Amino acid sequence: MRHPTLPPRWITAFAVVLALVASALLAPARPAHAADVLLSQGKTATASSVENAGTPASAAVDGSTGTRWASAAADPQWLMVDLGASATVTKVVLNWESAYGTAFRIQVSASGTGGWTDVYSTTTGPGGNQTLTVSGTGRFVRLYGSVRANGYGYSLWEFQVFGPSDDPPAGDCGSANAALSKPATASSTENAGTPAASAFDGNAGTRWASAATDPQWVQVDLGASATVCKVVLNWESAYGTAFRIQVSASGTGGWTDLYSTITGTGGTQTLTVAGTGRYVRLTGTARATGYGYSLWEFAVH
């Protein structure tokens, strides 16, 4: 019994399909695109002006939609955040209060003092929540407002800057405490029983405590430069409401803020940060009580 033969064009088409399938199966897998991460939260922010003491620049990058930055009622005005290191910026989210900007630019700079490059510009800003797709690289990111929507200043509940991260996700940050038993110093101690070393000894029954004045600091020498991804603070009841986490190559200057807050909660605080340095420091500027700053443990990952 003779079997029917396929027309030549069918055979050719079938061969092409097989080749495409084989190519797809044998092709090397493409690496997944790193998810964009929030780079600006808790970082150092400055502004051209503030409406009053209750609307500082830092309120726009503190992660709280109940606090805001507001400027003086004049044009132009700007708000700038220091990311701590040069970064690729892919997205900016503006959560405006009712006093918003209709004409503004988003800019990046390496120095924060000049060389600004526009990555977004509009003259028809609608206010509300704006998610802006941008593309640029810089350590400093600025909103520069030139026309206001009303007679008030510019006002933002939150100013969020996003970019890709090639680092492991926060959940994969190393579990080892790089600060454990490393040399520590402090601006002061309450007494001989509360030395700086007690915050890095791995013992939650010993503590560092400072004198009852502001500011105060405690720092640890990791022994070599390291990339820092997380800091865990285990406060005693005498905690800081306003403080910064900083890194430095020398321990004597060149400090870079990795985290900043004016609404510290005390207790155990786990802070996701990103920066590189040999020395890591907590600098407290406002205390929650009449006592000094006091930490059971200060872990660096």
Side-chain angles (χ1 to χ4, degrees), residues 10-69:
W10 286 24
I11 295 173
T12 301
F14 187 59
V16 170
V17 171
L18 284 176
L20 290 173
V21 171
S23 175
L25 291 174
L26 295 174
R30 294 184 180 181
H33 174 67
D36 286 347
V37 295
L38 178 57
L39 305 174
S40 54
Q41 189 164 310
K43 299 298 174 64
T44 301
T46 53
S48 52
S49 68
V50 295
E51 183 179 18
N52 55 57
T55 57
S58 60
V61 293
D62 63 0
S64 171
T65 55
T67 60
R68 65 186 176 95
W69 164 68

Side-chain angles (χ1 to χ4, degrees), residues 157-184:
W157 295 110
E158 283 293 295
F159 178 30
Q160 296 178 312
V161 178
F162 293 81
S165 173
D166 295 327
D167 298 326
D172 293 338
C173 185
S175 59
N177 178 9
L180 185 61
S181 301
K182 296 295 175 64

Side-chain angles (χ1 to χ4, degrees), residues 64-297:
S64 171
T65 55
T67 60
R68 65 186 176 95
W69 164 68
S71 76
D75 290 310
Q77 300 290 339
W78 53 262
L79 172 70
M80 176 176 73
V81 62
D82 177 0
L83 301 180
S86 182
T88 298
V89 179
T90 56
K91 182 172 67 176
V92 170
V93 178
L94 304 175
N95 184 352
W96 291 102
E97 197 245 359
S98 56
Y100 63 94
T102 54
F104 63 87
R105 288 172 280 167
I106 303 296
Q107 304 173 303
V108 294
S109 166
S111 66
T113 57
W116 292 100
T117 299
D118 291 356
V119 294
Y120 179 87
S121 179
T122 185
T123 59
T124 57
N129 286 310
Q130 292 184 262
T131 299
L132 312 175
T133 300
V134 301
S135 178
T137 301
R139 172 174 170 169
F140 298 83
V141 183
R142 182 170 77 168
L143 175 139
Y144 187 92
S146 52
V147 179
R148 291 163 290 133
N150 52 47
Y152 298 98
Y154 299 85
S155 182
L156 281 166
W157 295 110
E158 283 293 295
F159 178 30
Q160 296 178 312
V161 178
F162 293 81
S165 173
D166 295 327
D167 298 326
D172 293 338
C173 185
S175 59
N177 178 9
L180 185 61
S181 301
K182 296 295 175 64
T185 52
S187 52
S188 67
T189 57
E190 184 179 17
N191 55 56
T194 57
S198 290
F200 305 96
D201 62 2
N203 183 351
T206 61
R207 64 187 176 95
W208 163 70
S210 76
T213 58
D214 290 308
Q216 299 290 339
W217 54 263
V218 61
Q219 74 184 50
V220 62
D221 177 1
L222 301 181
S225 181
T227 298
V228 179
C229 53
K230 183 170 65 177
V231 168
V232 181
L233 304 175
N234 184 354
W235 292 100
E236 197 247 359
S237 55
Y239 64 94
T241 53
F243 63 87
R244 289 170 284 164
I245 302 297
Q246 303 170 299
V247 291
S248 165
S250 66
T252 57
W255 292 99
T256 298
D257 289 357
L258 303 187
Y259 178 86
S260 178
T261 185
I262 56 172
T263 56
T265 57
T268 299
Q269 293 185 262
T270 300
L271 312 175
T272 299
V273 299
T276 301
R278 173 173 171 169
Y279 297 84
V280 183
R281 182 168 75 171
L282 176 141
T283 297
T285 53
R287 291 163 291 130
T289 69
Y291 297 99
Y293 299 86
S294 182
L295 282 167
W296 295 111
E297 283 296 297

